[in-house]
mmCIF file of all heavy atoms in Angstrom:
data_model
loop_
_atom_site.group_PDB
_atom_site.id
_atom_site.type_symbol
_atom_site.label_atom_id
_atom_site.label_comp_id
_atom_site.label_asym_id
_atom_site.label_seq_id
_atom_site.Cartn_x
_atom_site.Cartn_y
_atom_site.Cartn_z
ATOM 1 N N SER G 17 23.299 -19.811 37.182
ATOM 2 C CA SER G 17 21.889 -19.418 37.173
ATOM 3 C C SER G 17 21.462 -18.879 35.809
ATOM 4 O O SER G 17 20.327 -19.104 35.381
ATOM 5 C CB SER G 17 21.603 -18.397 38.272
ATOM 6 O OG SER G 17 22.234 -17.177 37.993
ATOM 7 N N VAL G 18 22.360 -18.201 35.104
ATOM 8 C CA VAL G 18 22.029 -17.712 33.765
ATOM 9 C C VAL G 18 21.822 -18.881 32.808
ATOM 10 O O VAL G 18 20.859 -18.905 32.039
ATOM 11 C CB VAL G 18 23.132 -16.749 33.250
ATOM 12 C CG1 VAL G 18 23.005 -16.518 31.760
ATOM 13 C CG2 VAL G 18 23.053 -15.437 33.987
ATOM 14 N N PHE G 19 22.707 -19.878 32.863
ATOM 15 C CA PHE G 19 22.546 -21.034 31.983
ATOM 16 C C PHE G 19 21.274 -21.810 32.311
ATOM 17 O O PHE G 19 20.575 -22.274 31.410
ATOM 18 C CB PHE G 19 23.769 -21.949 32.044
ATOM 19 C CG PHE G 19 24.947 -21.410 31.302
ATOM 20 C CD1 PHE G 19 26.153 -21.237 31.944
ATOM 21 C CD2 PHE G 19 24.852 -21.059 29.965
ATOM 22 C CE1 PHE G 19 27.255 -20.729 31.271
ATOM 23 C CE2 PHE G 19 25.938 -20.549 29.288
ATOM 24 C CZ PHE G 19 27.142 -20.382 29.931
ATOM 25 N N ILE G 20 20.952 -21.935 33.579
ATOM 26 C CA ILE G 20 19.715 -22.612 33.972
ATOM 27 C C ILE G 20 18.504 -21.835 33.469
ATOM 28 O O ILE G 20 17.542 -22.415 32.963
ATOM 29 C CB ILE G 20 19.666 -22.807 35.500
ATOM 30 C CG1 ILE G 20 20.680 -23.862 35.911
ATOM 31 C CG2 ILE G 20 18.267 -23.211 35.963
ATOM 32 C CD1 ILE G 20 20.855 -23.993 37.405
ATOM 33 N N SER G 21 18.538 -20.524 33.573
ATOM 34 C CA SER G 21 17.402 -19.719 33.118
ATOM 35 C C SER G 21 17.256 -19.770 31.605
ATOM 36 O O SER G 21 16.133 -19.793 31.090
ATOM 37 C CB SER G 21 17.527 -18.283 33.611
ATOM 38 O OG SER G 21 18.636 -17.652 33.017
ATOM 39 N N ILE G 22 18.369 -19.795 30.873
ATOM 40 C CA ILE G 22 18.288 -19.908 29.417
ATOM 41 C C ILE G 22 17.668 -21.249 29.034
ATOM 42 O O ILE G 22 16.772 -21.319 28.192
ATOM 43 C CB ILE G 22 19.685 -19.741 28.782
ATOM 44 C CG1 ILE G 22 20.145 -18.299 28.886
ATOM 45 C CG2 ILE G 22 19.674 -20.174 27.313
ATOM 46 C CD1 ILE G 22 21.596 -18.087 28.486
ATOM 47 N N PHE G 23 18.137 -22.315 29.667
ATOM 48 C CA PHE G 23 17.591 -23.642 29.389
ATOM 49 C C PHE G 23 16.119 -23.705 29.745
ATOM 50 O O PHE G 23 15.299 -24.241 28.991
ATOM 51 C CB PHE G 23 18.385 -24.703 30.163
ATOM 52 C CG PHE G 23 17.879 -26.089 29.964
ATOM 53 C CD1 PHE G 23 18.119 -26.765 28.773
ATOM 54 C CD2 PHE G 23 17.162 -26.728 30.957
ATOM 55 C CE1 PHE G 23 17.649 -28.047 28.586
ATOM 56 C CE2 PHE G 23 16.690 -28.004 30.777
ATOM 57 C CZ PHE G 23 16.933 -28.670 29.587
ATOM 58 N N SER G 24 15.753 -23.140 30.885
ATOM 59 C CA SER G 24 14.360 -23.153 31.329
ATOM 60 C C SER G 24 13.464 -22.344 30.397
ATOM 61 O O SER G 24 12.365 -22.783 30.050
ATOM 62 C CB SER G 24 14.276 -22.603 32.746
ATOM 63 O OG SER G 24 12.954 -22.509 33.162
ATOM 64 N N LEU G 25 13.914 -21.174 29.993
ATOM 65 C CA LEU G 25 13.137 -20.347 29.073
ATOM 66 C C LEU G 25 12.940 -21.059 27.745
ATOM 67 O O LEU G 25 11.826 -21.092 27.206
ATOM 68 C CB LEU G 25 13.829 -18.999 28.855
ATOM 69 C CG LEU G 25 13.166 -18.062 27.861
ATOM 70 C CD1 LEU G 25 11.850 -17.555 28.418
ATOM 71 C CD2 LEU G 25 14.067 -16.913 27.518
ATOM 72 N N ASN G 26 14.004 -21.649 27.227
ATOM 73 C CA ASN G 26 13.916 -22.372 25.961
ATOM 74 C C ASN G 26 12.951 -23.549 26.087
ATOM 75 O O ASN G 26 12.109 -23.772 25.218
ATOM 76 C CB ASN G 26 15.304 -22.844 25.542
ATOM 77 C CG ASN G 26 15.364 -23.275 24.109
ATOM 78 O OD1 ASN G 26 14.450 -23.007 23.333
ATOM 79 N ND2 ASN G 26 16.428 -23.943 23.740
ATOM 80 N N ASN G 27 13.058 -24.310 27.167
ATOM 81 C CA ASN G 27 12.202 -25.460 27.378
ATOM 82 C C ASN G 27 10.736 -25.041 27.522
ATOM 83 O O ASN G 27 9.845 -25.661 26.937
ATOM 84 C CB ASN G 27 12.670 -26.230 28.611
ATOM 85 C CG ASN G 27 11.987 -27.557 28.742
ATOM 86 O OD1 ASN G 27 11.609 -28.173 27.755
ATOM 87 N ND2 ASN G 27 11.850 -28.017 29.965
ATOM 88 N N ASN G 28 10.476 -23.993 28.303
ATOM 89 C CA ASN G 28 9.101 -23.519 28.472
ATOM 90 C C ASN G 28 8.506 -23.043 27.159
ATOM 91 O O ASN G 28 7.330 -23.297 26.867
ATOM 92 C CB ASN G 28 9.048 -22.391 29.500
ATOM 93 C CG ASN G 28 9.188 -22.885 30.903
ATOM 94 O OD1 ASN G 28 8.916 -24.037 31.197
ATOM 95 N ND2 ASN G 28 9.622 -22.009 31.787
ATOM 96 N N LEU G 29 9.286 -22.370 26.360
ATOM 97 C CA LEU G 29 8.784 -21.885 25.084
ATOM 98 C C LEU G 29 8.486 -23.040 24.128
ATOM 99 O O LEU G 29 7.461 -23.040 23.449
ATOM 100 C CB LEU G 29 9.781 -20.915 24.458
ATOM 101 C CG LEU G 29 9.276 -20.107 23.281
ATOM 102 C CD1 LEU G 29 8.053 -19.291 23.676
ATOM 103 C CD2 LEU G 29 10.346 -19.192 22.762
ATOM 104 N N ILE G 30 9.361 -24.026 24.092
ATOM 105 C CA ILE G 30 9.132 -25.194 23.235
ATOM 106 C C ILE G 30 7.868 -25.925 23.659
ATOM 107 O O ILE G 30 7.014 -26.258 22.822
ATOM 108 C CB ILE G 30 10.353 -26.140 23.266
ATOM 109 C CG1 ILE G 30 11.527 -25.500 22.531
ATOM 110 C CG2 ILE G 30 10.025 -27.483 22.635
ATOM 111 C CD1 ILE G 30 12.830 -26.240 22.710
ATOM 112 N N ILE G 31 7.709 -26.167 24.954
ATOM 113 C CA ILE G 31 6.516 -26.859 25.456
ATOM 114 C C ILE G 31 5.267 -26.046 25.160
ATOM 115 O O ILE G 31 4.250 -26.584 24.718
ATOM 116 C CB ILE G 31 6.643 -27.118 26.981
ATOM 117 C CG1 ILE G 31 7.800 -28.050 27.269
ATOM 118 C CG2 ILE G 31 5.352 -27.669 27.547
ATOM 119 C CD1 ILE G 31 7.614 -29.471 26.858
ATOM 120 N N ASN G 32 5.333 -24.751 25.382
ATOM 121 C CA ASN G 32 4.182 -23.884 25.160
ATOM 122 C C ASN G 32 3.750 -23.889 23.695
ATOM 123 O O ASN G 32 2.561 -23.953 23.385
ATOM 124 C CB ASN G 32 4.507 -22.467 25.626
ATOM 125 C CG ASN G 32 3.284 -21.604 25.747
ATOM 126 O OD1 ASN G 32 2.175 -22.092 25.874
ATOM 127 N ND2 ASN G 32 3.498 -20.311 25.715
ATOM 128 N N VAL G 33 4.708 -23.820 22.790
ATOM 129 C CA VAL G 33 4.374 -23.784 21.366
ATOM 130 C C VAL G 33 3.919 -25.158 20.880
ATOM 131 O O VAL G 33 2.948 -25.273 20.122
ATOM 132 C CB VAL G 33 5.572 -23.261 20.539
ATOM 133 C CG1 VAL G 33 5.347 -23.463 19.062
ATOM 134 C CG2 VAL G 33 5.793 -21.788 20.831
ATOM 135 N N LEU G 34 4.589 -26.209 21.314
ATOM 136 C CA LEU G 34 4.233 -27.540 20.831
ATOM 137 C C LEU G 34 2.903 -28.037 21.385
ATOM 138 O O LEU G 34 2.294 -28.937 20.800
ATOM 139 C CB LEU G 34 5.351 -28.534 21.138
ATOM 140 C CG LEU G 34 6.640 -28.314 20.350
ATOM 141 C CD1 LEU G 34 7.675 -29.366 20.693
ATOM 142 C CD2 LEU G 34 6.381 -28.301 18.843
ATOM 143 N N THR G 35 2.437 -27.479 22.488
ATOM 144 C CA THR G 35 1.099 -27.832 22.972
ATOM 145 C C THR G 35 0.009 -27.136 22.155
ATOM 146 O O THR G 35 -1.154 -27.524 22.244
ATOM 147 C CB THR G 35 0.914 -27.472 24.455
ATOM 148 O OG1 THR G 35 1.188 -26.095 24.641
ATOM 149 C CG2 THR G 35 1.806 -28.329 25.334
ATOM 150 N N GLN G 36 0.396 -26.155 21.365
ATOM 151 C CA GLN G 36 -0.568 -25.435 20.528
ATOM 152 C C GLN G 36 -0.470 -25.843 19.061
ATOM 153 O O GLN G 36 -0.863 -25.083 18.179
ATOM 154 C CB GLN G 36 -0.329 -23.938 20.655
ATOM 155 C CG GLN G 36 -0.484 -23.401 22.044
ATOM 156 C CD GLN G 36 -0.152 -21.929 22.117
ATOM 157 O OE1 GLN G 36 -0.090 -21.234 21.103
ATOM 158 N NE2 GLN G 36 0.060 -21.422 23.316
ATOM 159 N N VAL G 37 0.024 -27.046 18.794
ATOM 160 C CA VAL G 37 0.210 -27.482 17.414
ATOM 161 C C VAL G 37 -1.112 -27.470 16.656
ATOM 162 O O VAL G 37 -1.196 -26.988 15.525
ATOM 163 C CB VAL G 37 0.849 -28.897 17.383
ATOM 164 C CG1 VAL G 37 0.806 -29.485 15.994
ATOM 165 C CG2 VAL G 37 2.270 -28.838 17.885
ATOM 166 N N ARG G 38 -2.135 -27.997 17.277
ATOM 167 C CA ARG G 38 -3.448 -28.050 16.621
ATOM 168 C C ARG G 38 -3.966 -26.635 16.323
ATOM 169 O O ARG G 38 -4.510 -26.377 15.252
ATOM 170 C CB ARG G 38 -4.399 -28.795 17.532
ATOM 171 C CG ARG G 38 -5.625 -29.269 16.865
ATOM 172 C CD ARG G 38 -6.426 -30.086 17.835
ATOM 173 N NE ARG G 38 -7.110 -31.125 17.104
ATOM 174 C CZ ARG G 38 -7.820 -32.042 17.660
ATOM 175 N NH1 ARG G 38 -7.906 -32.091 18.972
ATOM 176 N NH2 ARG G 38 -8.443 -32.919 16.937
ATOM 177 N N TYR G 39 -3.782 -25.751 17.270
ATOM 178 C CA TYR G 39 -4.207 -24.359 17.120
ATOM 179 C C TYR G 39 -3.496 -23.693 15.935
ATOM 180 O O TYR G 39 -4.127 -23.036 15.102
ATOM 181 C CB TYR G 39 -3.915 -23.631 18.436
ATOM 182 C CG TYR G 39 -4.120 -22.145 18.420
ATOM 183 C CD1 TYR G 39 -5.386 -21.596 18.408
ATOM 184 C CD2 TYR G 39 -3.023 -21.287 18.448
ATOM 185 C CE1 TYR G 39 -5.566 -20.224 18.405
ATOM 186 C CE2 TYR G 39 -3.194 -19.920 18.454
ATOM 187 C CZ TYR G 39 -4.467 -19.400 18.440
ATOM 188 O OH TYR G 39 -4.638 -18.046 18.442
ATOM 189 N N PHE G 40 -2.177 -23.895 15.840
ATOM 190 C CA PHE G 40 -1.425 -23.319 14.727
ATOM 191 C C PHE G 40 -1.792 -23.977 13.404
ATOM 192 O O PHE G 40 -1.819 -23.315 12.363
ATOM 193 C CB PHE G 40 0.079 -23.431 14.970
ATOM 194 C CG PHE G 40 0.597 -22.473 16.001
ATOM 195 C CD1 PHE G 40 1.311 -22.930 17.095
ATOM 196 C CD2 PHE G 40 0.381 -21.109 15.889
ATOM 197 C CE1 PHE G 40 1.792 -22.048 18.052
ATOM 198 C CE2 PHE G 40 0.855 -20.223 16.832
ATOM 199 C CZ PHE G 40 1.559 -20.696 17.921
ATOM 200 N N ALA G 41 -2.084 -25.269 13.424
ATOM 201 C CA ALA G 41 -2.478 -25.963 12.191
ATOM 202 C C ALA G 41 -3.814 -25.433 11.680
ATOM 203 O O ALA G 41 -3.991 -25.236 10.471
ATOM 204 C CB ALA G 41 -2.561 -27.467 12.436
ATOM 205 N N ILE G 42 -4.748 -25.187 12.576
ATOM 206 C CA ILE G 42 -6.038 -24.618 12.165
ATOM 207 C C ILE G 42 -5.839 -23.217 11.600
ATOM 208 O O ILE G 42 -6.443 -22.863 10.577
ATOM 209 C CB ILE G 42 -7.029 -24.617 13.353
ATOM 210 C CG1 ILE G 42 -7.420 -26.049 13.694
ATOM 211 C CG2 ILE G 42 -8.254 -23.782 13.054
ATOM 212 C CD1 ILE G 42 -8.211 -26.191 14.965
ATOM 213 N N LYS G 43 -5.007 -22.437 12.216
ATOM 214 C CA LYS G 43 -4.716 -21.098 11.689
ATOM 215 C C LYS G 43 -4.079 -21.175 10.305
ATOM 216 O O LYS G 43 -4.362 -20.347 9.443
ATOM 217 C CB LYS G 43 -3.802 -20.329 12.651
ATOM 218 C CG LYS G 43 -4.516 -19.761 13.827
ATOM 219 C CD LYS G 43 -3.557 -18.911 14.628
ATOM 220 C CE LYS G 43 -4.312 -17.824 15.317
ATOM 221 N NZ LYS G 43 -3.447 -16.836 15.920
ATOM 222 N N ARG G 44 -3.209 -22.175 10.105
ATOM 223 C CA ARG G 44 -2.562 -22.318 8.796
ATOM 224 C C ARG G 44 -3.581 -22.706 7.719
ATOM 225 O O ARG G 44 -3.486 -22.248 6.588
ATOM 226 C CB ARG G 44 -1.458 -23.381 8.861
ATOM 227 C CG ARG G 44 -0.279 -22.986 9.686
ATOM 228 C CD ARG G 44 0.806 -22.312 8.933
ATOM 229 N NE ARG G 44 1.281 -23.176 7.869
ATOM 230 C CZ ARG G 44 1.688 -22.730 6.699
ATOM 231 N NH1 ARG G 44 1.724 -21.452 6.464
ATOM 232 N NH2 ARG G 44 2.088 -23.554 5.761
ATOM 233 N N THR G 45 -4.574 -23.533 8.058
ATOM 234 C CA THR G 45 -5.585 -23.905 7.067
ATOM 235 C C THR G 45 -6.490 -22.726 6.735
ATOM 236 O O THR G 45 -7.009 -22.638 5.628
ATOM 237 C CB THR G 45 -6.452 -25.075 7.561
ATOM 238 O OG1 THR G 45 -7.090 -24.726 8.777
ATOM 239 C CG2 THR G 45 -5.630 -26.321 7.733
ATOM 240 N N VAL G 46 -6.691 -21.833 7.663
ATOM 241 C CA VAL G 46 -7.529 -20.661 7.422
ATOM 242 C C VAL G 46 -6.805 -19.639 6.558
ATOM 243 O O VAL G 46 -7.416 -18.827 5.891
ATOM 244 C CB VAL G 46 -7.986 -20.047 8.768
ATOM 245 C CG1 VAL G 46 -8.732 -18.755 8.576
ATOM 246 C CG2 VAL G 46 -8.834 -21.022 9.528
ATOM 247 N N GLY G 47 -5.472 -19.698 6.534
ATOM 248 C CA GLY G 47 -4.745 -18.798 5.658
ATOM 249 C C GLY G 47 -3.571 -18.080 6.299
ATOM 250 O O GLY G 47 -3.019 -17.144 5.711
ATOM 251 N N MET G 48 -3.155 -18.496 7.462
ATOM 252 C CA MET G 48 -2.008 -17.862 8.109
ATOM 253 C C MET G 48 -0.733 -18.272 7.361
ATOM 254 O O MET G 48 -0.485 -19.444 7.131
ATOM 255 C CB MET G 48 -1.923 -18.307 9.570
ATOM 256 C CG MET G 48 -0.789 -17.711 10.343
ATOM 257 S SD MET G 48 -0.770 -18.362 12.034
ATOM 258 C CE MET G 48 -0.416 -16.884 12.935
ATOM 259 N N SER G 49 0.051 -17.290 6.992
ATOM 260 C CA SER G 49 1.294 -17.586 6.278
ATOM 261 C C SER G 49 2.388 -18.001 7.259
ATOM 262 O O SER G 49 2.270 -17.816 8.460
ATOM 263 C CB SER G 49 1.742 -16.361 5.481
ATOM 264 O OG SER G 49 2.146 -15.333 6.348
ATOM 265 N N LEU G 50 3.457 -18.556 6.723
ATOM 266 C CA LEU G 50 4.587 -18.927 7.575
ATOM 267 C C LEU G 50 5.212 -17.701 8.228
ATOM 268 O O LEU G 50 5.697 -17.763 9.360
ATOM 269 C CB LEU G 50 5.643 -19.691 6.768
ATOM 270 C CG LEU G 50 5.335 -21.154 6.485
ATOM 271 C CD1 LEU G 50 6.393 -21.759 5.575
ATOM 272 C CD2 LEU G 50 5.246 -21.940 7.772
ATOM 273 N N LYS G 51 5.186 -16.584 7.512
ATOM 274 C CA LYS G 51 5.725 -15.342 8.068
ATOM 275 C C LYS G 51 4.908 -14.887 9.282
ATOM 276 O O LYS G 51 5.466 -14.463 10.294
ATOM 277 C CB LYS G 51 5.715 -14.270 6.975
ATOM 278 C CG LYS G 51 6.536 -13.055 7.267
ATOM 279 C CD LYS G 51 6.442 -12.087 6.107
ATOM 280 C CE LYS G 51 7.791 -11.478 5.852
ATOM 281 N NZ LYS G 51 7.751 -10.507 4.766
ATOM 282 N N GLN G 52 3.587 -14.989 9.181
ATOM 283 C CA GLN G 52 2.730 -14.619 10.309
ATOM 284 C C GLN G 52 2.901 -15.595 11.473
ATOM 285 O O GLN G 52 2.884 -15.187 12.633
ATOM 286 C CB GLN G 52 1.267 -14.592 9.867
ATOM 287 C CG GLN G 52 0.958 -13.472 8.917
ATOM 288 C CD GLN G 52 -0.418 -13.599 8.290
ATOM 289 O OE1 GLN G 52 -0.910 -14.709 8.092
ATOM 290 N NE2 GLN G 52 -1.019 -12.464 7.976
ATOM 291 N N LEU G 53 3.086 -16.870 11.154
ATOM 292 C CA LEU G 53 3.335 -17.866 12.188
ATOM 293 C C LEU G 53 4.649 -17.576 12.907
ATOM 294 O O LEU G 53 4.720 -17.623 14.134
ATOM 295 C CB LEU G 53 3.361 -19.272 11.577
ATOM 296 C CG LEU G 53 3.621 -20.428 12.517
ATOM 297 C CD1 LEU G 53 2.477 -20.583 13.505
ATOM 298 C CD2 LEU G 53 3.826 -21.707 11.737
ATOM 299 N N LEU G 54 5.679 -17.253 12.148
ATOM 300 C CA LEU G 54 6.968 -16.896 12.728
ATOM 301 C C LEU G 54 6.823 -15.674 13.631
ATOM 302 O O LEU G 54 7.341 -15.652 14.755
ATOM 303 C CB LEU G 54 7.996 -16.641 11.631
ATOM 304 C CG LEU G 54 9.362 -16.128 12.073
ATOM 305 C CD1 LEU G 54 10.080 -17.197 12.883
ATOM 306 C CD2 LEU G 54 10.200 -15.713 10.878
ATOM 307 N N PHE G 55 6.116 -14.664 13.150
ATOM 308 C CA PHE G 55 5.911 -13.453 13.939
ATOM 309 C C PHE G 55 5.168 -13.761 15.236
ATOM 310 O O PHE G 55 5.527 -13.250 16.312
ATOM 311 C CB PHE G 55 5.143 -12.415 13.120
ATOM 312 C CG PHE G 55 4.919 -11.122 13.847
ATOM 313 C CD1 PHE G 55 5.969 -10.232 14.037
ATOM 314 C CD2 PHE G 55 3.674 -10.800 14.350
ATOM 315 C CE1 PHE G 55 5.775 -9.046 14.716
ATOM 316 C CE2 PHE G 55 3.469 -9.621 15.028
ATOM 317 C CZ PHE G 55 4.515 -8.729 15.203
ATOM 318 N N SER G 56 4.167 -14.624 15.168
ATOM 319 C CA SER G 56 3.387 -14.985 16.348
ATOM 320 C C SER G 56 4.246 -15.703 17.386
ATOM 321 O O SER G 56 4.200 -15.382 18.583
ATOM 322 C CB SER G 56 2.217 -15.888 15.933
ATOM 323 O OG SER G 56 1.534 -16.384 17.040
ATOM 324 N N ILE G 57 5.058 -16.650 16.932
ATOM 325 C CA ILE G 57 5.896 -17.410 17.858
ATOM 326 C C ILE G 57 7.011 -16.532 18.427
ATOM 327 O O ILE G 57 7.333 -16.605 19.618
ATOM 328 C CB ILE G 57 6.452 -18.669 17.167
ATOM 329 C CG1 ILE G 57 5.298 -19.630 16.868
ATOM 330 C CG2 ILE G 57 7.498 -19.358 18.015
ATOM 331 C CD1 ILE G 57 5.677 -20.820 16.043
ATOM 332 N N ILE G 58 7.594 -15.678 17.596
ATOM 333 C CA ILE G 58 8.650 -14.777 18.088
ATOM 334 C C ILE G 58 8.085 -13.779 19.091
ATOM 335 O O ILE G 58 8.727 -13.495 20.111
ATOM 336 C CB ILE G 58 9.361 -14.078 16.908
ATOM 337 C CG1 ILE G 58 10.303 -15.064 16.223
ATOM 338 C CG2 ILE G 58 10.126 -12.848 17.378
ATOM 339 C CD1 ILE G 58 11.033 -14.520 15.033
ATOM 340 N N CYS G 59 6.882 -13.257 18.834
ATOM 341 C CA CYS G 59 6.266 -12.340 19.808
ATOM 342 C C CYS G 59 6.042 -13.043 21.142
ATOM 343 O O CYS G 59 6.275 -12.444 22.202
ATOM 344 C CB CYS G 59 4.943 -11.810 19.270
ATOM 345 S SG CYS G 59 5.138 -10.493 18.080
ATOM 346 N N GLU G 60 5.620 -14.294 21.081
ATOM 347 C CA GLU G 60 5.420 -15.039 22.317
ATOM 348 C C GLU G 60 6.747 -15.213 23.066
ATOM 349 O O GLU G 60 6.814 -15.037 24.276
ATOM 350 C CB GLU G 60 4.816 -16.407 21.993
ATOM 351 C CG GLU G 60 4.417 -17.190 23.200
ATOM 352 C CD GLU G 60 3.657 -18.451 22.837
ATOM 353 O OE1 GLU G 60 3.215 -18.592 21.682
ATOM 354 O OE2 GLU G 60 3.525 -19.300 23.730
ATOM 355 N N GLY G 61 7.810 -15.524 22.344
ATOM 356 C CA GLY G 61 9.122 -15.675 22.972
ATOM 357 C C GLY G 61 9.633 -14.381 23.562
ATOM 358 O O GLY G 61 10.201 -14.367 24.660
ATOM 359 N N VAL G 62 9.441 -13.276 22.851
ATOM 360 C CA VAL G 62 9.898 -11.969 23.349
ATOM 361 C C VAL G 62 9.111 -11.564 24.595
ATOM 362 O O VAL G 62 9.683 -11.056 25.567
ATOM 363 C CB VAL G 62 9.792 -10.906 22.231
ATOM 364 C CG1 VAL G 62 9.925 -9.509 22.778
ATOM 365 C CG2 VAL G 62 10.845 -11.169 21.166
ATOM 366 N N ILE G 63 7.814 -11.828 24.601
ATOM 367 C CA ILE G 63 6.992 -11.482 25.768
ATOM 368 C C ILE G 63 7.396 -12.327 26.973
ATOM 369 O O ILE G 63 7.527 -11.807 28.087
ATOM 370 C CB ILE G 63 5.490 -11.637 25.438
ATOM 371 C CG1 ILE G 63 5.070 -10.536 24.476
ATOM 372 C CG2 ILE G 63 4.640 -11.621 26.704
ATOM 373 C CD1 ILE G 63 3.684 -10.694 23.900
ATOM 374 N N ILE G 64 7.612 -13.625 26.747
ATOM 375 C CA ILE G 64 8.049 -14.484 27.851
ATOM 376 C C ILE G 64 9.423 -14.033 28.354
ATOM 377 O O ILE G 64 9.671 -13.994 29.564
ATOM 378 C CB ILE G 64 8.059 -15.963 27.409
ATOM 379 C CG1 ILE G 64 6.623 -16.465 27.249
ATOM 380 C CG2 ILE G 64 8.807 -16.833 28.423
ATOM 381 C CD1 ILE G 64 6.517 -17.851 26.663
#
């Protein structure tokens, strides 16, 4: 069950982030740095 939950969490996070590609691209054009992008994605993973 732990391995299934790790796989499921990883898969859900990948799907969640990759569905927001356009959103992150727009943020990057406005001036979001890679560090801020990393922080945003890591915060989402920690919250999930």
Side-chain angles (χ1 to χ4, degrees):
S17 68
V18 165
F19 285 124
I20 289 172
S21 66
I22 289 171
F23 179 75
S24 176
L25 177 69
N26 195 13
N27 190 30
N28 285 337
L29 192 58
I30 290 170
I31 296 289
N32 194 22
V33 169
L34 292 181
T35 56
Q36 300 177 16
V37 169
R38 197 175 213 176
Y39 172 73
F40 286 125
I42 291 171
K43 281 186 151 190
R44 291 269 302 145
T45 58
V46 174
M48 181 182 222
S49 68
L50 282 175
K51 195 180 220 182
Q52 291 170 329
L53 180 66
L54 174 66
F55 181 74
S56 173
I57 293 173
I58 284 178
C59 281
E60 187 172 346
V62 166
I63 289 171
I64 289 173

